[in-house]
Amino acid sequence: MSQTDIIEVRPTLSESLQDIVETRRVDAALDWLGNHPPHVIADQLARMDAVRAGMAFRLLDKDLALAVFEELEPVDQQQILQGLRDQSFRDLVEGMAPDDRARMLREAPAKVAKKALAGLSPRERRMTASLLGYPEGSAGQYMTPEVVALPRDLTVAEALGMVRAKGGNAETVYTLPVVDAGRRLTGIVELRELVLSKPETMVSELVVTEPAFARATDAAEKAARLMRETNDINLPVVDSEDRLVGLLTIDDAVEVIEAADSEDVALQAGSAPWEGHYMAAGVFQLARYRALWLLLLLFAATLTVSVTDFFEGTLQQAAHLALFIPLLIGAGGNAGAQAATACVRAVAVGEVRASDLFRVIWRECRVGLVLGSLLASVGLAIGALFVGPRIALVVGITLVLICGWAATIGGTMPLLAKKLRIDPAVVSAPMVTTLVDATGLIIYFTTAKLVLGI
């Protein structure tokens, strides 16, 4: 083989793994996989269909395959598993961290979950079964049960000896929970403190009492956001009797927040959230997730048609009013969407609670009136230029009222949803916009009738 032929089979810098797999160039694929880290390989696999992803995955050596597999989303992991032989299937599932394995099996078809559990060692099966017993979306589902817990009555030298002896089976040793004889959490100590302290120092002198912690039944998102507030890289998780059951690690906390934010973004955009990589989702799959919301919004938009029909007589007497309908409902819809987005975000990160409802109403109402006054000054000038001062006055007044109303509605609906135990993100910006469109027209035509006397 000539030097030119060798260059041709190797991947170029611009080639993706998918391009290489599609042309069935095994040597080039091996070269590509050997020069990219696990998270990049996982991203490429998530972009492929099940057949091509399975072909590429089977080219990985055992250690790299496990690292890549744990970077994948559960829906992509299931696709990979279904294409593996029994022994490879068992080795891969056995090597996973218990929390990652439990989340994958929770979403897997019953046949895949049964096969995976049957192939596990007794120890791994017990840990996985315990995690599967926690509620969906709870901190217990995301925590790692593989933890090195220290008694209070050890010296630093003894504690480090325990870390060396047991740390190999733990997912992390940077945060070490301190427990009493009943395994109840009494504090935490960082590995850094042990390493930097004298060997004869007692652990009880270094322990941080009353640490932040979560209960296994708490929402994982709540626990993850607590970690962000306290800047912890690991959060102890306890049961109802304060016994230590695991740690929520920073990598899992980041995944929880990312998943929650992705769901909120989808709902705010008027779409149902989906699992898996966007580039691997089919056209009809994406359309299916969006269709329901669009149909609901279409029916809601009939309110706007009904309002326009009701005020048809007003339009006939002042036809110029119709010119400003798009401007007014657009301004109101945008003001409402801005307020809704800001409030949903504030609720999600804990800056606003349901008890703040009236304070939010008062705040957003004033913000809307200020914005409406700003837009009204522009609207008056435009209206006076094209249709005269009387219509311009109607437009200006309406802009102030619509923006104040829209901002109030946009800021209020997420909090009302929270009180009703509905995800605030469900009160999406398109829904607020559609509601404001209809009510904004009522404000517009009512103002016109009062100012113009028609």
Side-chain angles (χ1 to χ4, degrees), residues 331-337 339-340 364 368 401-411 432 436 443:
N334 289 336
E364 287 296 339
L401 296 177
I402 282 182
C403 287
W405 168 247
T408 303
I409 290 295
V432 171
V436 170
I443 293 173

Side-chain angles (χ1 to χ4, degrees), residues 423-437:
D423 187 344
V426 172
V427 187
S428 60
M431 184 66 76
V432 171
T433 299
T434 303
L435 177 61
V436 170
D437 287 351

Side-chain angles (χ1 to χ4, degrees), residues 382-400:
I382 294 175
L385 180 63
F386 288 99
V387 295
R390 295 186 70 200
I391 299 293
L393 180 61
V394 173
V395 172
I397 294 174
T398 303
L399 277 170
V400 175

Side-chain angles (χ1 to χ4, degrees), residues 171-229:
E171 184 171 331
T172 178
V173 294
Y174 299 114
T175 300
L176 301 164
V178 179
V179 296
D180 62 14
R183 203 173 169 77
R184 285 183 290 271
L185 181 70
T186 61
I188 59 169
V189 62
E190 300 293 335
L191 179 63
R192 179 178 183 274
E193 296 297 324
L194 296 181
V195 172
L196 296 178
S197 298
K198 295 179 179 180
E200 64 274 12
T201 304
M202 298 298 295
V203 168
S204 57
E205 299 177 30
L206 305 174
V207 66
V208 176
T209 57
E210 299 184 3
F213 66 91
R215 301 213 178 269
T217 53
D218 289 346
E221 183 183 353
K222 176 183 176 182
R225 295 197 185 279
L226 175 61
M227 290 178 67
R228 188 176 67 177
E229 292 173 7

